[in-house]
Amino acid sequence: MSLARVHNFAISLDGFGTGEGLSREAPFGHAGERLHEWMFATRWWRERLGEPGGTSGLDDAFVRQFDPGIGAEIMGAGKFGYPGWHEDPEWKGWWGPNPPFHTPT
């Protein structure tokens, strides 16, 4: 068994995980959150945010497989913050003190 896996990584049909122009105001660049809309609609996502509702179909069943077996998550600099975030001592990441994922990074 492999010690690492690529899991729940959304990419566009042309092979990109985010759009151009990533900035503090646009965490996913010009593409916005279109690649992740399916996930944001699930009950799993709403539960992670402490909110009610969400869909409970196939997408929810798939995304619930995110946590089992995850020891740590490899997070690139762009997932943590906008270009230049390392120069901002107040920056705590896109999600602040309570990110929607709860694994070591």
Side-chain angles (χ1 to χ4, degrees), residues 13-32:
L13 292 175
D14 56 355
F16 291 92
T18 188
E20 292 182 42
L22 182 117
S23 69
R24 187 174 190 151
E25 295 75 32
F28 292 101
H30 80 285

Side-chain angles (χ1 to χ4, degrees), residues 5-66:
R5 70 182 185 200
V6 176
H7 179 88
N8 287 3
F9 183 67
I11 60 169
S12 62
L13 292 175
D14 56 355
F16 291 92
T18 188
E20 292 182 42
L22 182 117
S23 69
R24 187 174 190 151
E25 295 75 32
F28 292 101
H30 80 285
E33 297 178 345
R34 286 182 285 177
L35 284 175
H36 303 90
E37 287 175 350
W38 67 273
M39 181 185 69
F40 297 147
T42 64
R43 183 168 293 159
W44 176 84
W45 182 256
R46 305 293 292 192
E47 288 171 358
R48 284 181 131 9
L49 299 179
E51 298 175 1
T55 63
S56 60
L58 184 59
D59 288 343
D60 187 65
F62 173 77
V63 79
R64 286 187 181 280
Q65 297 305 307
F66 176 80

Side-chain angles (χ1 to χ4, degrees), residues 45-99:
W45 182 256
R46 305 293 292 192
E47 288 171 358
R48 284 181 131 9
L49 299 179
E51 298 175 1
T55 63
S56 60
L58 184 59
D59 288 343
D60 187 65
F62 173 77
V63 79
R64 286 187 181 280
Q65 297 305 307
F66 176 80
D67 289 329
I70 297 288
E73 182 173 339
I74 298 170
M75 180 186 297
K79 185 171 180 181
F80 182 76
Y82 61 97
W85 65 263
H86 60 280
E87 297 172 3
D88 181 353
E90 302 298 316
W91 184 253
K92 304 294 185 220
W94 292 117
W95 302 278
N98 188 23

